[in-house]
Amino acid sequence: MRSKGFALVELIIIIVIIGVLSIVAIPVYKSYINKTKIAQNNAGIEKSAEKEISKTMP
């Protein structure tokens, strides 16, 4: 008689799939965060440079 649940092998396969996906996703996410921080810093530098240029220009 077959029970109405998941077998241990099926659960292990699901855990392995989730592990592989997280191994791929975490570095991609960290790279995205670093690129965003760099872009924000560049925007801040440009904005402050524009302020300084406008102060020195008559």
Side-chain angles (χ1 to χ4, degrees):
M1 183 177 202
R2 174 106 174 142
S3 64
K4 293 184 176 183
F6 290 108
L8 181 61
V9 175
E10 292 170 335
L11 291 175
I12 291 173
I13 290 172
I14 290 171
I15 291 171
V16 168
I17 290 171
I18 290 172
V20 169
L21 289 175
S22 66
I23 287 171
V24 171
I26 290 172
V28 171
Y29 178 73
K30 286 184 179 182
S31 172
Y32 174 75
I33 294 297
N34 287 336
K35 286 180 185 178
T36 303
K37 287 180 181 178
I38 291 170
Q40 286 176 342
N41 289 337
N42 289 342
I45 291 170
E46 289 175 4
K47 192 172 186 179
S48 63
E50 287 174 2
K51 281 184 182 179
E52 290 299 318
I53 290 172
S54 66
K55 284 182 184 177
T56 59
M57 293 274 220

